Amino acid sequence: MYKNEPIFLQPVFQERIWGGKKLRTEFHYEIPNDLTGEAWVISAHPHGPSMITNGPLEGKSLADAWNEHKELFNKKDDDQGEYPLLVKILDAADDLSVQVHPNDQFSREVEGVPYGKTECWYVLSAEEGVELVLGHYAKTEEELAEMIDHGQWDKLLRRVKVKAGDFVYVPSGTIHAIGKGIVILETQQSSDITYRVYDYDRKDAAGNTRELHLERSKQVTTVPHQDAEVKQTEKVNGGLVEKKLVEEQYFTVYHWELNGQADCEMDKDFLQVSVVEGMAAITIDGKSFDLKKGTHFILPHGVRQFKLDGKAEFIVSHE
Ligand code: ZN
């Protein structure tokens, strides 16, 4: 099963108060409306599981594949763990709320879910001069609580400018917000637990504000903020330049730039692959599949060698 083909996946779209229409204009997806904030492109999460579009499991979800065909991911049949990762594309037509995510232990003990949320972002496009929030300036927990309670956002929040091609690593416990005008591909632990710290006092169409989670935010925020050190390395394989963006406890993420041809070895349990620019073909055992911007797939464990040909960029990840 899937020894010589990728497992192609269909994105699941999520409406958000801050969403827009770039998932249509830049990715040609058929989005449900002009407030589409997220495409969950590689997901086995119950809040939006991706469906498989080819091969023997066509029409099943990635979660079904994970639960019923562990061999595709090089796991044992009695492995009880849930699918570990989640890949999304986010279109921030407006600022996202300032938020923070818990770690694994807090998520298990307080929320009863298996994973916390460490995430990272590859900036696909960014309007001129846009900013995001990453970290804070409080030196102690008392100072953090005071600044939050008094709404001293300008004093508390650390703002950072970004441009297309930037990479941002956001460990659990980091206060963060994606700013208006940014489109990112996010690779994260498969979790949907978010504690909202500040939502710009926004109201939705019905006049409602979104819930804040101030106490939990204070409990899980790392104080003082520390910028995570990320060591990046680069490897050239034929026409493929493989840049490792981050390698950490939960995931390793790469940017691949393809210009021509490359023969590749699959030496991981499985790979998550998103085409973020251009067009290419992947050939496995003499069988070719067309890839273009917006295509997402998993290379399962059965695939051991593959060839890439074309001009394209990819974001690739594994556990
Ligand atoms: Zn987040």
Side-chain angles (χ1 to χ4, degrees):
M1 184 180 273
Y2 296 98
K3 290 219 179 310
N4 54 9
E5 61 184 316
I7 303 175
F8 288 104
L9 298 166
Q10 180 87 42
V12 180
F13 300 101
Q14 311 273 5
E15 182 177 331
R16 299 287 185 251
I17 190 172
W18 44 262
K21 51 189 178 190
K22 283 185 184 160
L23 289 165
R24 181 195 307 124
T25 57
E26 294 187 9
F27 281 86
H28 306 291
Y29 293 134
E30 280 182 40
I31 57 174
N33 60 51
D34 289 355
L35 278 179
T36 303
E38 305 186 7
W40 291 22
V41 296
I42 302 178
S43 164
H45 195 282
H47 295 174
S50 313
M51 306 308 280
I52 296 169
T53 62
N54 67 304
L57 297 180
E58 184 178 340
K60 293 240 187 194
S61 72
L62 177 57
D64 292 334
W66 173 262
N67 291 327
E68 293 159 25
H69 299 278
K70 286 280 196 293
E71 75 282 1
L72 294 171
F73 309 91
N74 199 26
K75 302 291 177 219
K76 302 240 166 23
D77 282 344
D78 57 358
D79 189 325
Q80 297 294 313
E82 291 187 26
Y83 189 84
L85 301 176
L86 174 55
V87 180
K88 301 175 180 174
I89 298 174
L90 276 76
D91 168 20
D94 198 352
D95 290 322
L96 270 75
S97 62
V98 178
Q99 53 185 256
V100 60
H101 306 295
N103 62 16
D104 286 357
Q105 192 188 351
F106 195 94
S107 302
R108 281 187 205 121
E109 288 174 2
V110 176
E111 302 286 353
V113 298
Y115 301 127
K117 185 167 164 187
T118 283
E119 61 188 69
C120 65
W121 311 328
Y122 181 80
V123 180
L124 295 170
S125 72
E127 290 167 17
E128 191 68 34
V130 291
E131 290 183 329
L132 45 80
V133 171
L134 186 70
H136 63 81
Y137 293 112
K139 287 178 211 72
T140 61
E141 287 177 17
E142 294 70 36
E143 209 172 271
L144 176 76
E146 190 170 307
M147 287 182 181
I148 289 177
D149 292 341
H150 292 93
Q152 295 171 319
W153 308 116
D154 288 341
K155 211 166 137 190
L156 176 67
L157 303 176
R158 177 171 174 259
R159 294 176 190 280
V160 187
K161 284 211 184 333
V162 290
K163 55 183 189 319
D166 284 352
F167 176 75
V168 184
Y169 174 52
V170 189
S172 61
T174 307
I175 288 188
H176 62 278
I178 297 162
K180 175 180 177 167
I182 303 177
V183 178
I184 61 159
L185 183 137
E186 175 175 53
T187 306
Q188 57 161 99
Q189 290 183 274
S190 185
S191 163
D192 202 18
I193 305 283
T194 293
Y195 299 143
R196 217 173 272 131
V197 184
Y198 175 50
D199 200 26
Y200 312 94
D201 306 313
R202 269 188 296 212
K203 293 190 171 79
D204 66 13
N208 300 312
T209 56
R210 296 193 293 176
E211 192 188 353
L212 300 177
H213 316 90
L214 300 184
E215 290 317 307
R216 293 209 167 160
S217 297
K218 291 174 200 165
Q219 282 176 290
V220 306
T221 297
T222 305
V223 187
H225 169 74
Q226 254 192 327
D227 255 341
E229 273 199 42
V230 181
K231 209 176 84 204
Q232 301 188 336
T233 56
E234 207 169 272
K235 204 172 91 184
V236 179
N237 167 23
L240 185 68
V241 179
E242 181 184 293
K243 185 174 182 186
K244 191 187 281 179
L245 299 171
V246 67
E247 177 173 15
E248 56 88 78
Q249 183 183 357
Y250 300 108
F251 45 69
T252 301
V253 182
Y254 309 83
H255 176 263
W256 286 1
E257 181 154 9
L258 177 69
N259 257 306
Q261 291 190 1
D263 288 304
C264 305
E265 297 278 330
M266 235 292 276
D267 54 358
K268 306 291 183 265
D269 288 346
F270 63 99
L271 277 186
Q272 302 187 128
V273 185
S274 294
V275 187
V276 296
E277 203 53 72
M279 286 170 76
I282 183 169
T283 305
I284 305 165
D285 284 346
K287 206 169 154 192
S288 285
F289 303 86
D290 288 334
L291 308 175
K292 62 174 202 281
K293 178 177 179 176
T295 304
H296 307 271
F297 60 92
I298 285 176
L299 274 186
H301 186 65
V303 172
R304 299 325 287 161
Q305 265 116 26
F306 61 97
K307 187 185 209 131
L308 292 171
D309 188 359
K311 186 167 169 47
E313 289 177 49
F314 308 80
I315 299 294
V316 178
S317 55
H318 58 78
E319 283 178 285

